[in-house]
Amino acid sequence: MYAYDEIDRAIVSERVDEFRDQVRRRLSGELTEDEFKSLRLMNGVYLQLHAYMFRVAIPYGTLSSAQLRKLAHVARTYDRGYGHFTTRQNIQFNWIALKDLPDALADLAEVGIHAMQTSGNCTRNVTADQWAGVVPGEIEDARVWAEILRQHTALHPEFSFLPRKFKFAITASDHDRAAIKIHDVGLRLRKNDAGETGFEVLVGGGLGRSPFIGKTIKPFVRGRDILSYVEAILRVYNQYGRRDNIYKARIKILVHELGIDKFAAEVEEEWKQIAEGPLTLDDEMIEDIRARFIYPDYAKLSDSPEELTKAKADPAFAMWLDNSAAPHKQPGYAIVTLSLKPVGGPPGDATAEQMDAIADLADKYSFGEIRVGHEQNLALPHVAKRDLPALWAALDKIGVATPNINHVSDIIACPGLDYCSLANARSIPIAQELSRRFADPATGRLIGRLHINISGCINACGHHHVGHIGILGVEKNDQEVYQITIGGRADEEAKLGELIGPAVPYDQVADVIEDIVEAYLALRERPEELFVDTVKRLGVEPFKERVYATR
Amino acid sequence: MTSPLQKKIKIHGPSVVTANRTSDGVVIWRTADHGWSTDLDDAAIVRDGETARALLTEATADDVGAVGPYIAPVTIADNGTVLPGNLREQIRNTGVTIELPAQV
Ligand code: SF4
């Protein structure tokens, strides 16, 4: 966990007072909606179809049990008893009243959380690998750098009015769980030949109307230079980014139009002016941030405790263990993913009761820490392996032990037309139906890793372009229809999926996905060949044939 | 940017003016007696561009009470019940089409 200092606390609490006053003035009519809108957005407050939506930042997906309990409290006190974890490692409350928002913000401030950087044309909440700091083989804890970036960019005047929003994602592992290639700037920690820590910097990734995979702008930037380097990127973007056309305003368009080489040259030029300046990080600064990440006092434990060996005799436990527990860098411990994708449930939602129970379990089994992944699941990052059977029983009781992590029913879905005012079509009911069709965990295992991503409009909050199967809701003659792509991926080999053919109506989507999965099972060379690899080998044609031959 | 009120307003059939209530975001409809209601049945129905503009103009003037008024289509059932004209408006009227997690 990261321990906030007095400065952080003062900023957060000043923000609450400021927003309370702004809400008061809006409700009394002193501020018009036009004047108020940008102020509320700066505090994560959107207006959706039925109500205001409140988006709270969870920097780099790390929460303490006290913070999760407070989120539960907000859900229960001011909302309808649940929250929705998003693909940006944020949480959203869907039913909150404007008049209650200052109180909700004040309550959250007590535990150091807020809604800054969750909206507006600023640098947004920095996202990171949800397993940072605990996964074996990472270069170092990516969150240290995410926090450095957060401190530098939060409320940075030069980066609070950019042409458009700007998102950083960061990872320190070979396997990319943070989807860095679909962010405005993606950072991958590396070591150079001299053993120095630094970053491969990618730029210009993003989904939405014009999707692009990020390109490497510089293969290695030393850690000490990272702030000045990203500042140079942001300055070039701030100067040349299109402010005249919202659809062309993201950095990906600028990179695409200039070409990566020209863009890189511009950044290099800018960087020359500021490298070795005040933004250079010295070891002391980095260590100061690093020192404020508090790591658990791990015990020396057996890596194959008897409790675990015995419990594996229960096939249900064994299946969950195999699916949801991952290796930890500390022997005797595991990282446990909690599925927020129950059969028939809305992806990423957790009730206040579940959040409270998870906070208690985190205290009991995970040193009080919880992680949020962009796949819309939670994780307990430090669980002693001997405690896994007891933890599983407790998780199962509260409905977050579905053994479907990375399986076909672990669907990423945006809120879609049930909530979102920008939506063309519903996402959640499609996800629910698919999770029912693929409810049997044995089927999920048979199919293997398969990511389905659903977005209710081209804004792509559900990352449909990079789903192994992507589903995009569009509207045609007042009807919901869905375009289906296959072969996308969001990891280190990130790729945009390819459209398989004409859009299909709402009530046919689940059948079509079943057809695609059946085609894959028939076409794969061996059980280990993943869905995306079969698509890569054969292209979309055989899948297209299967889907459209009879339709 | 041109305000919607300065553009020519075309409607294709019966319409209403709807918005979200400022204090809590709840869906509201403009009524014939210059107020707002949370019940679609109370909405003032307009059938031509000019009346629609007039209703939208007075609704927009109430910036304290409502956010983002716009014209939305409706259909009128044989028994006179007012029904939302498309899925989006139907969801705004009757709520999400799924069971809320806390109720499961
Ligand atoms: S993808 Fe579209 S429908 Fe879904 S949450 Fe984003 S803006 Fe809304």
Side-chain angles (χ1 to χ4, degrees):
Chain A
M1 284 304 303
Y2 180 78
Y4 280 119
D5 62 12
E6 272 313 310
I7 300 175
D8 295 299
R9 280 190 284 273
I11 292 174
V12 170
S13 111
E14 276 168 23
R15 216 7 137 70
V16 175
D17 295 343
E18 198 180 84
F19 190 56
R20 192 179 291 285
D21 187 51
Q22 289 161 350
V23 169
R24 183 191 59 73
R25 287 190 287 150
R26 171 69 185 119
L27 290 173
S28 71
E30 273 174 65
L31 288 177
T32 65
E33 179 61 17
D34 274 355
E35 291 161 337
F36 180 64
K37 189 173 175 187
S38 66
L39 304 174
R40 69 168 156 82
L41 285 174
M42 279 180 206
N43 292 287
V45 181
Y46 288 74
L47 187 61
Q48 301 215 107
L49 290 185
H50 320 275
Y52 289 96
M53 180 269 277
F54 179 37
R55 183 182 291 159
V56 177
I58 302 172
Y60 35 85
T62 297
L63 279 174
S64 68
S65 53
Q67 289 173 329
L68 185 57
R69 258 182 221 109
K70 201 55 102 174
L71 292 170
H73 158 82
V74 166
R76 189 180 291 119
T77 314
Y78 307 107
D79 208 88
R80 295 201 183 170
Y82 67 98
H84 172 74
F85 290 95
T86 75
T87 52
R88 294 276 311 141
Q89 294 178 318
N90 294 313
I91 185 169
Q92 294 179 177
F93 298 101
N94 289 304
W95 302 98
I96 203 153
L98 183 60
K99 57 185 170 46
D100 291 335
L101 272 155
D103 289 340
L105 260 185
D107 293 351
L108 292 174
E110 287 171 15
V111 291
I113 40 181
H114 52 78
M116 283 178 251
Q117 293 185 289
T118 61
S119 175
N121 294 336
C122 61
T123 46
R124 297 286 186 92
N125 186 33
V126 178
T127 55
D129 181 356
Q130 70 270 28
W131 290 359
V134 288
V135 66
E138 66 180 0
I139 303 268
E140 55 180 71
D141 189 341
R143 294 173 307 158
V144 172
W145 297 95
E147 177 57 25
I148 290 172
L149 276 170
R150 190 195 69 79
Q151 291 191 11
H152 180 62
T153 59
L155 309 180
H156 190 310
E158 200 175 333
F159 308 139
S160 294
F161 299 94
L162 292 165
R164 270 300 262 142
K165 56 188 168 184
F166 199 94
K167 300 172 182 174
F168 288 97
I170 176 162
T171 183
S173 288
D174 286 340
H175 177 53
D176 177 9
R177 274 170 295 271
I180 65 165
K181 290 192 176 178
I182 55 165
H183 283 76
D184 297 281
V185 164
L187 299 173
R188 182 195 297 284
L189 272 135
R190 292 229 181 273
K191 291 259 187 221
N192 67 5
D193 293 342
E196 286 173 300
T197 301
F199 297 87
E200 175 186 353
V201 180
L202 293 98
V203 70
L207 301 176
R209 191 174 298 266
S210 316
F212 288 102
I213 298 297
K215 298 175 184 70
T216 300
I217 177 171
K218 209 166 173 69
F220 191 82
V221 174
R222 286 181 303 176
R224 62 193 290 274
D225 296 325
I226 195 64
L227 284 189
S228 60
Y229 192 74
V230 299
E231 180 116 347
I233 292 178
L234 277 157
R235 282 190 179 177
V236 171
Y237 171 53
N238 217 354
Q239 186 174 357
Y240 296 114
R242 297 269 303 262
R243 287 169 196 271
D244 59 322
N245 182 340
I246 191 173
Y247 301 120
K248 300 202 167 186
R250 296 288 290 268
I251 195 172
K252 61 189 177 184
I253 304 290
L254 181 64
V255 172
H256 178 68
E257 284 180 355
L258 280 182
I260 184 70
D261 293 337
K262 174 106 174 54
F263 182 81
E266 293 280 352
V267 170
E268 207 65 27
E269 199 49 43
E270 184 66 38
W271 192 37
K272 256 194 229 155
Q273 324 280 324
I274 55 174
E276 302 302 333
L279 289 179
T280 306
L281 293 162
D282 61 35
D283 290 347
E284 204 182 316
M285 288 176 192
I286 300 168
E287 284 318 310
D288 184 47
I289 302 283
R290 201 188 306 279
R292 280 197 272 148
F293 278 88
I294 301 152
Y295 294 93
D297 205 356
Y298 296 114
K300 273 207 162 50
L301 298 175
S302 158
D303 214 29
S304 17
E306 208 180 305
E307 296 89 335
L308 189 61
T309 319
K310 260 204 220 149
K312 281 189 205 165
D314 176 350
F317 172 73
M319 185 182 275
W320 173 82
L321 180 74
D322 183 48
N323 174 263
S324 304
H328 196 282
K329 67 181 183 189
Q330 181 72 21
Y333 286 83
I335 306 167
V336 173
T337 300
L338 280 49
S339 173
L340 296 185
K341 319 288 174 70
V343 174
D349 282 9
T351 64
E353 288 67 34
Q354 285 174 323
M355 289 190 247
D356 274 338
I358 293 166
D360 290 348
L361 292 170
D363 281 339
K364 195 163 174 191
Y365 296 115
S366 182
F367 297 90
E369 194 173 321
I370 301 101
R371 302 290 180 86
V372 184
H374 87 269
E375 299 87 350
Q376 302 178 289
N377 290 316
L378 302 180
L380 296 180
H382 325 276
V383 181
K385 283 184 166 180
R386 63 171 182 215
D387 293 334
L388 287 169
L391 174 65
W392 169 66
L395 294 175
D396 194 39
K397 226 185 226 168
I398 56 166
V400 295
T402 313
N404 62 351
I405 303 304
N406 293 325
H407 285 175
V408 58
S409 60
D410 184 6
I411 298 166
I412 292 179
C414 79
L417 189 57
D418 279 296
Y419 295 99
C420 177
S421 52
L422 303 173
N424 289 322
R426 286 170 291 169
S427 304
I428 297 171
I430 299 273
Q432 288 174 310
E433 176 58 15
L434 285 170
S435 78
R436 284 187 209 104
R437 301 265 182 123
F438 293 104
D440 183 355
T443 309
R445 263 167 87 102
L446 173 78
I447 298 166
R449 182 183 271 263
L450 204 178
H451 299 296
I452 297 184
N453 293 52
I454 312 175
S455 303
C457 81
I458 195 64
N459 288 321
C461 303
H463 296 179
H464 64 275
H465 298 102
V466 289
H468 293 180
I469 298 177
I471 303 174
L472 165 65
V474 292
E475 187 205 295
K476 204 172 161 191
N477 304 328
D478 262 353
Q479 298 299 315
E480 299 164 288
V481 293
Y482 295 81
Q483 293 179 350
I484 294 166
T485 51
I486 59 172
R489 54 198 296 174
D491 59 7
E492 57 285 357
E493 292 176 49
K495 192 173 173 304
L496 303 173
E498 215 178 304
L499 199 63
I500 60 160
V504 297
Y506 176 81
D507 53 8
Q508 282 182 28
V509 175
D511 290 344
V512 166
I513 303 303
E514 274 190 329
D515 282 355
I516 292 173
V517 172
E518 276 170 20
Y520 154 66
L521 290 174
L523 290 164
R524 69 182 179 187
E525 273 184 333
R526 49 187 198 289
E528 298 74 39
E529 186 178 66
L530 298 183
F531 174 81
V532 263
D533 295 325
T534 305
V535 177
K536 192 173 170 188
R537 183 168 57 82
L538 297 172
V540 300
E541 269 321 304
F543 296 92
K544 191 174 183 166
E545 247 165 57
R546 172 66 186 256
V547 169
Y548 295 101
T550 54
R551 286 193 175 81
Chain B
M1 219 167 86
T2 327
S3 139
L5 294 174
Q6 291 166 313
K7 290 187 195 148
K8 193 167 168 57
I9 291 178
K10 258 199 216 149
I11 57 172
H12 310 277
S15 300
V16 293
V17 168
T18 180
N20 292 82
R21 191 158 64 194
T22 303
S23 60
D24 55 9
V26 163
V27 176
I28 46 179
W29 289 271
R30 191 72 183 169
T31 60
D33 58 2
H34 317 293
W36 294 99
S37 169
T38 53
D39 192 342
L40 175 59
D41 277 336
D42 299 336
I45 310 289
V46 289
R47 294 169 193 276
D48 63 76
E50 266 323 294
T51 336
R53 178 201 302 278
L55 191 64
L56 183 60
T57 306
E58 65 154 75
T60 307
D62 180 18
D63 183 69
V64 186
V67 184
Y70 63 94
I71 297 166
V74 289
T75 55
I76 314 285
D78 290 344
N79 65 2
T81 316
V82 185
L83 299 167
N86 58 37
L87 179 62
R88 184 179 195 272
E89 292 307 316
Q90 186 190 312
I91 291 174
R92 286 181 78 247
N93 184 34
T94 43
V96 295
T97 64
I98 52 172
E99 225 176 322
L100 296 186
Q103 300 165 346
V104 174

